[in-house]
Structure formats: C-alpha cells, structure tokens
Amino acid sequence: MVRTETVLDSWKTVRQDTAQAVEDFPATELDFKATPDLMTFGELARHVLDAGHALSAMLLDGVDNMTTPQFRETMGKYRPQLPEKLDAATLASELRKSIEMQTAALSAKGEDFFSGIITRFDGQRVTRLEMLQFIKEHELTHRSQMFMYLRLKGIVPATTRRRQAKQKGA
C-alpha cells in the first residue's frame, strides 16, 4: 500500500530540485531551448508550476471528471494568478510556495478523500492518490528535461551534486 504522506513528501523533494534547477540555470537564459520544437527552460519551469498547482487544486476542489470539453479552460482557472513571464528568482520562489501550499492542503485531507475515484483527462478511472502520483510523475518528466538543459549548459544538477558529495564522504 502506498501512503499519502510518502507521495506528498516525495513530490516536495522533486519540487525542491525543480526550483533548485531554476536557481542554477543562468537567469538571463530562461529562453534557451535544446531544439526549436521544444519548450524553453523557462516554459518548462512555468509548466511544472501551472500544471502541478492547477491539477492538485482541482483535486482539492472536488473536480472528479477531467474529461470535459472545457478541461483546458478549467485548468486555466486553477493556475496561479501570476504574470506570464517571471524572472528566475520569482519562478523558483513560486515553485516552492506552491508546493508548500498544495501539500499542506492535501495533507489535511483524510484517506477517504484519496481513495475516491475520479476520471482523469485521458478517461482513466483512478483514485485521487493515483492522480497525485501522476502529477508528481509529470513533474519528474519535465524536471528531467530541465536537467538535460542544465547539462547542455555545463551545469551539474543538484541531485547529482548531492550523490557526488555523498560518495566523497563515504
């Protein structure tokens, strides 16, 4: 059995590394992208912020069917109300603020809430806890892209730096 607390703690860790990636990336180069058809680094970070915040807010608000034709419009209503373009420091701060706010609100919910079934936007029927796990996995995917961008700039991601420091100390 997967515990809600474990999923929330893991998501917070993932988010901290996402925010750190934003802080580590050259602040003047948020428009960098690996190829013309990909999102920029800044767009990836903003997408993580918007999607994570909106999807978890929809869960908290009791939205149980995400297959409606107006799903994208509904998502927009739950996005953080921020200017479209954010500088790196603000973006990293908002990523941290959002995860703290959303995980605190989710932590206050009981196990019955998380065992409730919803319909995800792809039509799959999942528990709210499974949806929360999906939100975290979505962020991991984009964080990996952000880490690749860091590497392209010659920057070692925080997760690797921690592992290397641990190996040196062992």
Side-chain angles (χ1 to χ4, degrees), residues 32-93:
F32 174 80
K33 55 173 115 178
T35 64
D37 57 331
L38 295 177
M39 284 192 228
T40 68
F41 184 89
E43 288 169 341
L44 286 166
R46 181 59 189 254
H47 176 67
V48 165
L49 173 63
D50 289 347
H53 188 90
L55 290 170
S56 59
M58 290 172 73
L59 284 178
L60 287 162
D61 206 23
V63 173
D64 62 0
N65 184 0
M66 298 181 181
T67 61
T68 62
Q70 65 274 16
F71 173 71
R72 292 246 178 242
E73 181 182 313
T74 302
M75 279 275 297
K77 294 176 187 173
Y78 287 96
R79 286 178 58 196
Q81 299 304 301
L82 299 166
E84 199 56 41
K85 280 287 228 185
L86 299 173
D87 62 69
T90 303
L91 188 50
S93 175

